[in-house]
Amino acid sequence: MASPTSSNPAHAHFESFLQAQLCRDVLSSFQGLCEALGLEPGGGLPLYHKIKAQLNYWSAKSLWAKLDKRAGQPVYQQGRACPNTKCLVVGAGPCGLRAAVELAMLGARVVLVEKRTTFSRHNVLHLWPFTIHDLRALGAKKFYGRFCTGTLDHISIRQLQLLLLKVALLLGVEIHWGVAFTGLQPPPRKGCGWRAQLQPSPPAQLSNYEFDVLISAAGGKFVPEGFTVREMRGKLAIGITANFVNGRTVEETQVPEISGVARIYNQSFFQSLLKATGIDLENIVYYKDDTHYFVMTAKKQCLLRLGVLRQDWPETDRLLGSANVAPEALQRFARAAADFATHGKLGKLEFAKDARGQPDVSAFDFTSMMRAESSARVQEKHGARLLLGLVGDCLVEPFWPLGTGVARGFLAALDAGWMVKRWAEGAGPLEVLVRDLYDVAAKEPVQRKSDKIDTGKPATGAADTQEELLRWCQEQTAGYPGVHVTDLSSSWADGLALCALVHRLRPDLLEPSELQGVGAVEAAARALKVAEHELGIAPMLPAQAVVAGSDPLGLIAYLSHFHSAFKNMTPRPGPASQTSPGTPNAVLFLGKLQRTLQRTRAKVEESRGPGDLCALCGERLYVLERLCADGRFFHRSCFRCHSCEATLWPGSYAQHPEDKHFYCLQHLPQPDRKEDIMDGDSETLELPAAGENSTPPGPSAPAAPQEGPRQPTRRLIRLSSSERQRLSSLNLTPDQEVEAPPKPPRSCAALARQALEGSFVGWGIPAQSPEVLVAMEKEEESPSSSEEEEEEEEEPIDSDLEQALMTLAKTSGTMNKYPTWRRTLLRRAKEEEMKRFCKAQAVQRRLNEIEASLRELEAEGVRLELALRSTPEQQKKLWLEQLLQLVQKKNSLVAEEAELMITVQELNLEEKQWQLDQELRGYMNREETLKTAADRQAEDQVLKKLVDVVNQRDALIRFQEERRLSELASGTGAQG
């Protein structure tokens, strides 16, 4: 074995190769290594075996062991799976290099071309667990010693490219820099193969290279001819990325990373940011790698107001260049946001330089996405077949903070390797290509129970025709005195038919006998109100229009909503004599929440305006465009926050009592307070109690009559220290399924529990000697006996112990002496924060997609309604059926939107509970004798807030449980 100070030139070149941090240094050191060993770069796996045989160097043996273990997997067949296959890979991004590595391990000859000559992308990628495992198996830790060593698992694109480049070179991939692929050159005659058109003039060896497989990994801007690409755009959101110089000082290393903060569930942070800087963001992420990397999503109106975005910028531009953005204003914006997010602890922020030597800060349309319709094709000419594959961000959305792009890109690279292997084995084109990419007439999609309703088709059981809807209404209102439904217009004019329909569905809510002597408008208004407040069916027309018959299309659309929600109920002859099971839904729950929210600020207007005019813009409202809020009708596009123009969802907005404008909760002015913008935690919202849900008592337990409005009773709660501890550790999330008993804890976890018992001062627990923490630290820091142990996953520990350990790591000075455990616990805390952020981002993207789909439905609905009003009577039936289908699609999307808003409420409460828990533990960990009167008062206030949040989470969980039981009962009834 050679010593570290060996004078062997090959050893020196190998060390330089491992440590190289620039692309040119990697190439030059590898060239020097090959020359020292008398070898030529490229040529495939034989080069790797020759290097391994000749380089008997201690520093290389662990790397050889890693690569040999990976190459030893059966799928690679010891590098003989594709021995006669020639491949060309276009693009040296992470996905292209990963595809080249996979093909090389299969034994193919691989040539890679890249038009750039440097790696300059500092943006940081979050790594999913399987990508970490994959990269470790390729020796990532050997090439990049800091790989996944922080509190978050991430890596800069540049570092990822460097380590994959080094692996590719060792495996014999032939790489050409500064060469651009411009197209394919088909074989001129039989016996010739496919070639590439390259610029500038490539060497003769490369220009004459004939290949069987082309893998394009050059990004969404370049897709080979023959592949169709479509662009998907959601709601406009401007993304900003900024990279600042990382001086790696002690102060910089101590600044915690931000795995993700989203306005959708943490409004207080963004309220403070807006107040301090005038910057309005939707989310922000901070990763620390080669640079201090920030990515944030900014509101368009904020960018316009601060002069970052020009007023007339074309929204079709995805990358916002200097023509659309003021560079200096953008730099000020990014620097101010980053400084606020890190509390100024990074000092003076200096921008890193990009490949052009300019400050590395950019803005782009975050929701625009280029996606190829397929990922593989086969071409043939003169008997020469060519397999073409696509990998990289021409197939996936490149959202760096979540790691979605690189994770899916790696999977695409592995899929490409599998296709090439099947291709080399002689499989036919249809056997090689993914079958799901082809339209097969006999193939029907399999619908799972968990799948959402396809928004492209009407919901199952929907009233597709006017006759079906009329028949259902007649069945539901049969037997009621004075009610004779013969059509969908004049039969509803007295309001009695609508009251009968509501009574049939919920007999406990509306008593027909109470309507004697009541006018038609009042009866219809009462039915509309009960249906909205207790059934979750929003009005689509006012009571006056129902009685006058002036809006027949609106009435038909409204009745179809009843049919969609209650179609599975079994009709009974005559009026119902007992309560019927309701249908709890998210729309109803959010409606109750919104009314609770509105009551705390202003009285809701009882009078309803005309249903055919928007209450904000005064323009005509067509049926599909109508949105009802607080007794008035609006265009969905008009119903936005008056300050930030964000879409307003139930439970997340309020009307200002003075100016009468609608605001999101973040921007609602507070005239009685010093702040101009509401703090998300400044007011506690009362979620609807379980008893206020739409599920009434069952037949065996009739509802007790109520005398007057019920007011919640409150009393002062005093808890002991142990009770406060249990409260702060409550986890109210219900288990989805029964899990197997947990494994016995490792000795480390057992020691941690013992340490905890002696670490919480002031909790009534006796002290313990610190030797246990010393033992923990020694066990954690003991070196691994083998390379496999390094990749072993940590044993899970139970949630209460983990939560206590996290708190101990953050609030106790004792744990500072044991950095290994502190680092582990902080990593886990960041992972949980990352999960919450990922979920919030997924919800936000789906809400944007739903909003775009609703806009399309509204436009189609307007077209159909205009056609209905101008079409002869005999042709109206077809248009009306299509309009009903659009109504069903809209109802499905609105229901899904409400479900997502329930998830937003859950995330918001979870974040609040976590923050209050940390704050409460900070007070509780102090010595009682050292607490001031102000400290005790603050502790009581935090405890009260925590109790409120726990109660609100409990209300959400009860709602979900009632809905589950209702769905179960409905399913049982349908089967019966």
Side-chain angles (χ1 to χ4, degrees):
M1 177 180 296
S3 66
T5 58
S6 173
S7 58
N8 189 319
H11 297 176
H13 285 301
F14 183 77
E15 286 295 335
S16 299
F17 176 71
L18 291 181
Q19 304 300 326
Q21 290 297 300
L22 295 176
C23 184
R24 63 173 182 270
D25 294 339
V26 173
L27 297 175
S28 62
S29 58
F30 185 74
Q31 180 69 34
L33 173 64
C34 291
E35 291 176 357
L37 298 177
L39 303 173
E40 285 291 331
L45 274 182
L47 175 67
Y48 167 71
H49 294 299
K50 293 176 182 178
I51 293 177
K52 186 178 69 171
Q54 297 185 36
L55 190 64
N56 185 23
Y57 183 38
W58 68 271
S59 183
K61 289 186 177 180
S62 60
L63 179 60
W64 305 150
K66 287 276 189 184
L67 295 177
D68 287 344
K69 181 179 179 180
R70 180 60 182 258
Q73 295 181 5
V75 67
Y76 299 114
Q77 300 177 17
Q78 297 296 325
R80 293 188 290 271
C82 307
N84 301 315
T85 303
K86 297 180 180 179
C87 306
L88 177 67
V89 177
V90 180
C95 298
L97 287 167
R98 184 62 189 86
V101 168
E102 191 69 11
L103 295 173
M105 283 196 163
L106 289 168
R109 182 186 174 187
V110 184
V111 174
L112 184 148
V113 294
E114 168 59 49
K115 66 179 181 180
R116 300 180 183 179
T117 58
T118 61
F119 292 155
S120 58
R121 297 166 66 189
H122 294 114
N123 291 352
V124 180
L125 306 169
H126 174 70
L127 296 179
W128 291 9
F130 87 88
T131 56
I132 296 173
H133 180 80
D134 180 70
L135 291 169
R136 278 179 173 167
L138 295 175
K141 195 76 172 176
K142 189 71 176 177
F143 297 115
Y144 185 50
R146 293 194 300 272
F147 181 74
C148 293
T149 55
T151 57
L152 292 168
D153 294 327
H154 55 64
I155 189 172
S156 69
I157 297 178
R158 193 183 74 85
Q159 285 292 348
L160 181 57
Q161 287 177 284
L162 284 172
L163 71 86
L164 287 173
L165 171 63
K166 295 173 183 179
V167 176
L169 290 171
L170 287 174
L171 296 179
V173 176
E174 183 180 329
I175 300 178
H176 296 270
W177 301 96
V179 178
F181 177 88
T182 58
L184 280 169
Q185 182 178 332
R189 57 186 178 277
K190 194 170 184 178
C192 297
W194 292 81
R195 297 181 183 180
Q197 298 176 358
L198 306 170
Q199 291 182 353
S201 300
Q205 180 184 3
L206 181 59
S207 60
N208 296 328
Y209 177 62
E210 296 182 351
F211 45 88
D212 314 299
V213 176
L214 171 66
I215 301 296
S216 175
K221 293 184 179 179
F222 174 78
V223 178
E225 184 179 355
F227 287 86
T228 56
V229 177
R230 61 190 178 98
E231 183 178 17
M232 294 177 284
R233 300 177 66 92
K235 173 187 173 185
L236 180 65
I238 307 300
I240 295 175
T241 61
N243 286 278
F244 299 97
V245 174
N246 186 353
R248 304 191 185 282
T249 63
V250 175
E251 292 76 14
E252 288 175 291
T253 59
Q254 293 176 349
V255 178
E257 296 176 302
I258 302 174
S259 58
V261 180
R263 186 178 68 93
I264 201 171
Y265 65 83
N266 189 350
Q267 294 190 358
S268 59
F269 171 84
F270 295 95
Q271 176 267 337
S272 302
L273 172 65
L274 179 60
K275 181 181 177 182
T277 65
I279 293 175
D280 200 1
L281 299 181
E282 289 187 357
N283 52 54
I284 188 169
V285 174
Y286 163 49
Y287 288 157
K288 193 185 312 178
D289 207 271
D290 286 346
T291 61
H292 295 294
Y293 170 68
F294 292 83
V295 58
M296 60 200 81
T297 306
K299 297 290 189 66
K300 173 186 172 183
Q301 292 300 319
C302 171
L303 295 175
L304 291 171
R305 174 170 48 83
L306 296 178
V308 177
L309 197 63
R310 78 179 193 190
Q311 295 290 334
D312 58 343
W313 75 281
E315 297 188 3
T316 55
D317 287 1
R318 180 176 184 270
L319 184 64
L320 307 179
S322 57
N324 302 321
V325 174
E328 294 183 359
L330 177 62
Q331 294 172 28
R332 289 195 300 268
F333 185 98
R335 183 181 284 112
D339 188 68
F340 181 88
T342 57
H343 306 286
K345 294 181 180 179
L346 290 178
K348 185 178 180 181
L349 291 169
E350 179 183 351
F351 283 100
K353 303 299 182 182
D354 60 16
R356 300 167 298 172
Q358 299 298 318
D360 195 350
V361 56
S362 59
F364 52 92
D365 181 354
F366 228 153
T367 56
S368 177
M369 181 169 118
M370 299 286 290
R371 186 177 180 91
E373 296 288 352
S374 61
S375 60
R377 294 181 67 249
V378 173
Q379 292 184 207
E380 182 175 2
K381 188 171 184 180
H382 295 307
R385 286 183 174 180
L386 176 68
L387 175 65
L388 297 93
L390 293 180
V391 300
D393 59 6
C394 54
L395 286 176
V396 297
E397 187 175 5
F399 191 68
W400 302 292
L402 301 186
T404 308
V406 67
R408 293 181 179 174
F410 272 32
L411 291 177
L414 298 176
D415 287 343
W418 176 86
M419 287 192 297
V420 173
K421 179 177 180 292
R422 296 284 291 133
W423 184 256
E425 293 171 349
L430 288 180
E431 298 178 50
V432 170
L433 302 182
V434 179
R435 201 168 177 79
D436 286 343
L437 298 178
Y438 285 82
D439 293 327
V440 181
K443 181 180 177 182
E444 295 293 339
V446 179
Q447 183 87 8
R448 300 187 300 270
K449 291 185 178 180
S450 60
D451 289 345
K452 295 289 183 183
I453 295 178
D454 184 359
T455 57
K457 301 179 181 179
T460 305
D464 295 336
T465 66
Q466 187 175 356
E467 291 79 9
E468 291 178 16
L469 179 59
L470 176 60
R471 189 182 311 115
W472 182 82
C473 291
Q474 290 172 336
E475 292 173 350
Q476 299 300 322
T477 58
Y480 283 88
V483 177
H484 303 284
V485 176
T486 59
D487 54 34
L488 296 175
S489 56
S490 60
S491 297
W492 305 82
D494 57 4
L496 295 179
L498 196 57
C499 291
L501 179 59
V502 174
H503 181 263
R504 168 73 70 183
L505 303 174
R506 286 291 302 275
D508 59 316
L509 297 178
L510 192 64
E511 180 55 48
S513 61
E514 299 177 356
L515 300 174
Q516 295 179 0
V518 174
V521 174
E522 184 178 348
R526 189 176 300 183
L528 289 169
K529 182 176 181 180
V530 171
E532 179 184 11
H533 290 191
E534 304 298 337
L535 299 180
I537 298 179
M540 297 192 71
L541 72 170
Q544 294 86 347
V546 175
V547 174
S550 59
D551 192 2
L553 292 179
L555 180 60
I556 291 174
Y558 182 60
L559 293 174
S560 71
H561 198 169
F562 278 91
H563 176 269
S564 176
F566 296 93
K567 58 182 176 289
N568 293 326
M569 285 186 59
T570 304
R572 308 175 193 168
S577 58
Q578 60 180 357
T579 57
S580 306
T583 305
N585 57 72
V587 176
L588 172 60
F589 185 87
L590 289 175
K592 289 179 179 289
L593 173 61
Q594 183 58 44
R595 288 190 293 277
T596 302
L597 176 66
Q598 193 70 10
R599 282 198 300 268
T600 63
R601 296 183 171 87
K603 182 176 176 58
V604 181
E605 298 180 20
E606 296 294 338
S607 60
R608 295 186 180 276
D612 58 347
L613 295 178
C614 176
L616 287 176
C617 70
E619 298 294 330
R620 175 68 180 269
L621 267 176
Y622 293 90
V623 172
L624 265 294
E625 292 180 314
R626 296 176 189 175
L627 183 149
C628 182
D630 297 334
R632 293 180 291 170
F633 294 90
F634 308 89
H635 287 106
R636 189 179 178 91
S637 58
C638 294
F639 194 62
R640 295 177 177 273
C641 175
H642 183 68
S643 176
C644 67
E645 296 189 357
T647 302
L648 298 177
W649 291 293
S652 65
Y653 72 89
Q655 185 180 17
H656 194 270
E658 296 179 2
D659 62 20
K660 302 301 182 182
H661 292 302
F662 291 93
Y663 295 87
C664 65
L665 297 185
Q666 183 182 358
H667 298 116
L668 179 67
Q670 299 294 301
D672 299 333
R673 306 191 181 191
K674 295 181 180 180
E675 295 84 6
D676 295 330
I677 304 165
M678 191 190 79
D679 187 344
D681 293 333
S682 63
E683 182 172 0
T684 300
L685 303 181
E686 296 183 7
L687 293 183
E692 298 175 10
N693 275 336
S694 60
T695 304
S700 60
Q706 295 183 1
E707 299 179 358
R710 181 181 57 181
Q711 298 294 335
T713 58
R714 297 177 179 271
R715 62 185 179 87
L716 186 62
I717 300 176
R718 296 196 181 278
L719 303 177
S720 64
S721 295
S722 59
E723 289 172 331
R724 294 185 183 187
Q725 177 185 354
R726 289 196 297 271
L727 174 64
S728 64
S729 300
L730 278 180
N731 184 3
L732 296 176
T733 304
D735 294 334
Q736 299 296 327
E737 57 185 9
V738 179
E739 298 182 356
K743 297 180 180 179
R746 297 184 298 173
S747 59
C748 187
L751 290 172
R753 187 182 295 277
Q754 296 176 19
L756 285 174
E757 294 177 354
S759 300
F760 290 108
V761 180
W763 285 35
I765 301 176
Q768 186 89 7
S769 63
E771 282 78 6
V772 285
L773 288 178
V774 177
M776 285 167 43
E777 189 71 10
K778 288 182 177 179
E779 180 176 334
E780 286 294 317
E781 293 181 345
S782 59
S784 301
S785 57
S786 64
E787 289 292 333
E788 287 75 20
E789 289 183 6
E790 176 193 342
E791 301 172 19
E792 232 177 65
E793 295 185 359
E794 298 177 352
E795 291 286 344
I797 58 178
D798 55 306
S799 58
D800 61 336
L801 173 60
E802 182 173 343
Q803 177 63 33
L805 286 171
M806 289 179 184
T807 304
L808 181 63
K810 291 184 176 181
T811 61
S812 172
T814 305
M815 186 54 75
N816 291 330
K817 302 176 183 178
Y818 310 100
T820 304
W821 258 106
R822 179 181 175 85
R823 186 169 59 249
T824 301
L825 297 174
L826 291 179
R827 173 189 289 268
R828 294 196 178 186
K830 291 293 184 181
E831 288 173 353
E832 290 301 315
E833 188 180 24
M834 185 69 186
K835 290 177 183 178
R836 190 157 55 248
F837 180 68
C838 290
K839 191 173 183 179
Q841 289 298 107
V843 168
Q844 184 68 61
R845 286 199 302 273
R846 182 54 188 157
L847 286 172
N848 293 339
E849 292 170 359
I850 290 175
E851 185 177 356
S853 299
L854 286 172
R855 285 200 300 265
E856 295 175 1
L857 284 177
E858 290 173 358
E860 181 66 14
V862 171
R863 185 186 67 79
L864 282 175
E865 191 169 344
L866 289 173
L868 272 169
R869 298 180 187 276
S870 60
T871 301
E873 194 67 30
Q874 61 271 19
Q875 299 180 9
K876 286 186 176 180
K877 182 177 179 180
L878 177 61
W879 295 117
L880 185 57
E881 291 179 1
Q882 293 186 18
L883 184 65
L884 283 173
Q885 292 180 8
L886 291 181
V887 170
Q888 296 298 332
K889 293 178 183 178
K890 179 180 179 180
N891 291 341
S892 299
L893 287 172
V894 170
E896 183 185 355
E897 183 182 55
E899 295 280 356
L900 293 173
M901 290 308 299
I902 293 291
T903 303
V904 170
Q905 295 290 342
E906 292 176 337
L907 290 170
N908 186 30
L909 292 174
E910 183 180 345
E911 177 72 13
K912 284 184 178 179
Q913 182 174 345
W914 184 84
Q915 292 177 353
L916 291 171
D917 174 81
Q918 299 303 309
E919 190 175 354
L920 180 61
R921 288 175 181 269
Y923 285 114
M924 295 168 65
N925 283 342
R926 299 180 188 176
E927 288 281 1
E928 288 292 333
T929 56
L930 299 179
K931 292 182 181 179
T932 65
D935 290 338
R936 294 188 178 90
Q937 183 179 5
E939 182 178 352
D940 289 339
Q941 291 295 326
V942 172
L943 181 59
K944 291 177 181 178
K945 289 183 180 180
L946 183 58
V947 171
D948 287 335
V949 170
V950 168
N951 288 335
Q952 293 174 52
R953 291 190 69 185
D954 181 63
L956 276 179
I957 291 168
R958 291 192 183 192
F959 160 74
Q960 293 171 335
E961 179 64 14
E962 288 181 357
R963 181 175 56 181
R964 184 186 69 83
L965 294 175
S966 176
E967 293 174 351
L968 184 62
S970 300
T972 304
Q975 293 176 2

